Amino acid sequence: MGRKNLGQDLPYLLKNQTSVETTTDAGNGVGYTGLRIRGVDGTRINVMLNGVPYNDSESQGTFFVNIPDVTSSASNVIIQRGVGTSTNGVAAFGASVNIIGRDPEEQPYFSTQNSVGSFNTHKHSFEAGTGSLLNGKLSFMGRYSIIKSDGYIDRAFSDLNSYNFVGVYKDGNTKIRFQTFGGDQQTYQAWNGISKAQYEINPRYNPSGEIYDKDGKVIGFYKNETDNYKQQHYHLLWEQRFNDNWKLNTTLHYTRGLGYYENYKSNQKFSKYGIPPYVIGAETVTSGDMIRRKWLDNDFYGIVSELNGKVNNWDLNFGVVANQYYGRHYGQIISGSNLQQIDLPIEYYRNNATKNEVSGYAKALYKFGDLEMFGDLQLRNITYHSNVIKASAEEAPTFDKKFTFFNPKIGFNYHLEGGTLYLSYANAHREPVRDDIVNAPDVKPETLHDFELGYNKTFNGLSITANAYYMLYKDQLVLIGAINGVGASLRKNVGRSYRAGIELGAGYQFSEKFNTLLNATFSQNKNKNYIVQLSETETENLGTTNTSFSPNFIGNLTLNYLPVKDLQFSLVNKLVGSQYLDNTNAPESKIKSYYLSDFIASYQVAWGRTDIGFSLLVNNIFNQKYINNGYSGPFYYAQAGANFLAGISLKFH
């Protein structure tokens, strides 16, 4: 990923991985981005940072915009498709992604990465490390990054900065690691999408912030229709090795988040905001234009601990997790028309939410010759409470939910010459998110039975992988083709449904100068009996339908050519089949398949004690016009045509 880490968010650096599809509100991979794996949306992909849960506790979304350039401080990003083994975050219903942070290096250094590109995109990153201190016991490193972009979509700018600081102390069998990282972002809203008709006229149009005259004609745009958020993370890890067989890892973590999004709202009724009407002369004023801010002020903290050991032929792993989230939601009217007699700002709603989780798991792997058998038992207990302090027409969520989930898993690995054959079964449950509960108080938690059968082998320069999966859901929460006020997709339970597919991968080294990588996913993603609500009393069963945002084919082909040492050219190709914006499969909800090609060139050279790197990334080199996200209407999120990023990196030892 380092060759193309020039400013785009993590989902875009992962877009050519098996079964992965990515999208971006601003159209160019900077700002709000998201990923789907096996057709499963990001709220059901368990993302961890150093084993600490990152998914937002209430929405369970993963907002990489709040930790921009996180990849620059990562040593590895591990994707585990399917349910996988028990982890420290929410249940994985599509995949788990664990971002592992880098430790400081042994030698002191200073490095900088700078890139520029299309849509006035530029990134500047600076990092320094002390090297080993106190006879190798102590070391530090720190990074600061700035990323800015105007975005492909009109006014969809991103103004991002982030930091990362790591200190490590090692003494014998003890390691203490402190890491703090975070980001501060301002992005112009581009989460509303555009109609199909508008897309055909001008795909870059952005309706956010529209200002209307008395006849309803757009006469301008509100300049501060922005999202503003600051997030700070603190991780303190204690790693204790007791002997060659037993090790304990314990992490204390705390995340602080604070921010708001600001909206211009035209001709709003005072009653909606709890503002009484007032009289000017002979006229009673009951409405006006308003500028409002919706705030989120939250804290997330807890402990994750894991004990690993070996006893004869047994590998054992025990984990405990205890986390609490406390979120304060409130809204303000800060200015507007016809508000001369109101003392601004005023607060028009406030509600608080508390979510607690205590969970534990035990894993065991038994080795018997070439055969390995493993079992995994997890118990999760979640309480989620929301109370209203001040209600509004839009915000009055009151609920008190409790969930207890038992998630067993079992599997086998059989080691063959140069390869492995594996079979696994996992049962997982997952709680609904805040919007699910607010929109349908009787919403049910999801249940998943995941069957995986796979084989991998390496021989004569060829590596191959094959994996077949069958994911049987009960009460799966699928995207219904509608969004809320911040562009998040809404969902509902669909009873019985499934995802089944075959994932293939291969890599071949033709020569010292030429190699290739490819992967492909062939799948079927179905709702068995999809019911639509025609009226308050009338429904229709559409029978078996295709699940929304779940293409039947995703394929990637990468061709790498190394003409001379340290110079590499890559052509990266992606083909995604057609998919639907909702589950009705109406013709107007279908979005076409698309094919993309990216070109990457990189060159590394050492000059004395300085390493110099040059990179060029050209996305969508054939300037394809395509859509990979939207909602019913249809409404689309347009993606950029041909665009580029070019960068230079310097590292001084």
Side-chain angles (χ1 to χ4, degrees), residues 219-388:
I219 57 174
F221 299 91
Y222 180 58
K223 68 178 182 180
N224 203 38
E225 191 91 353
T226 56
D227 183 67
N228 308 263
Y229 199 76
K230 185 174 184 178
Q231 193 173 77
Q232 299 165 288
H233 299 255
Y234 304 90
H235 293 177
L236 179 62
L237 166 71
W238 170 38
E239 179 184 302
Q240 184 66 50
R241 187 176 296 276
F242 301 109
N243 51 46
D244 291 340
N245 293 328
W246 289 92
K247 181 177 70 172
L248 176 68
N249 288 319
T250 300
T251 301
L252 298 173
H253 66 87
Y254 171 62
T255 302
R256 172 74 175 133
L258 177 65
Y260 65 90
Y261 69 92
E262 188 168 317
N263 284 110
Y264 164 84
K265 303 294 288 184
S266 177
N267 194 28
Q268 298 290 289
K269 293 183 178 180
F270 286 176
S271 58
K272 184 178 178 180
Y273 300 92
I275 300 174
Y278 61 88
V279 177
I280 299 180
E283 181 182 3
T284 300
V285 180
T286 61
S287 65
D289 298 340
M290 296 184 184
I291 307 299
R292 68 182 192 183
R293 288 179 176 176
K294 288 191 170 185
W295 285 83
L296 177 58
D297 179 358
N298 56 39
D299 300 278
F300 177 61
Y301 42 84
I303 182 172
V304 297
S305 187
E306 188 173 71
L307 177 66
N308 299 287
K310 295 183 179 181
V311 177
N312 298 323
N313 292 335
W314 292 89
D315 288 352
L316 303 174
N317 183 290
F318 306 94
V320 293
V321 179
N323 300 316
Q324 182 175 77
Y325 169 90
Y326 182 50
R328 297 160 289 273
H329 304 257
Y330 59 96
Q332 297 174 325
I333 303 298
I334 63 170
S335 64
S337 63
N338 293 341
L339 296 175
Q340 296 88 344
Q341 297 188 15
I342 307 297
D343 187 16
L344 298 175
I346 63 167
E347 185 172 289
Y348 68 97
Y349 75 84
R350 179 177 286 268
N351 56 79
N352 296 336
T354 304
K355 187 174 183 180
N356 298 312
E357 175 176 350
V358 177
S359 63
Y361 56 84
K363 308 178 192 178
L365 184 147
Y366 181 74
K367 299 178 181 178
F368 183 76
D370 292 329
L371 179 65
E372 295 176 344
M373 299 177 289
F374 66 86
D376 180 345
L377 303 175
Q378 182 194 46
L379 186 67
R380 295 183 67 218
N381 183 268
I382 303 108
T383 61
Y384 186 17
H385 173 76
S386 176
N387 67 291
V388 173

Side-chain angles (χ1 to χ4, degrees), residues 80-96:
Q80 187 178 46
R81 298 184 303 278
V83 171
T85 58
S86 296
T87 55
N88 299 325
V90 297
F93 268 55
S96 293

Side-chain angles (χ1 to χ4, degrees), residues 468-487:
Y469 64 89
Y470 180 65
M471 303 169 71
L472 177 63
Y473 293 88
K474 180 184 178 184
D475 299 317
Q476 182 181 186
L477 284 160
V478 300
L479 307 181
I480 62 173
I483 61 172
N484 65 10
V486 293

Side-chain angles (χ1 to χ4, degrees), residues 416-420 455-465 507-508:
L416 305 168
E417 184 178 354
T420 303
Y455 175 71
N456 60 68
K457 186 176 178 62
T458 301
F459 58 97
N460 299 328
L462 173 65
S463 63
I464 58 172
T465 62
Y508 187 66

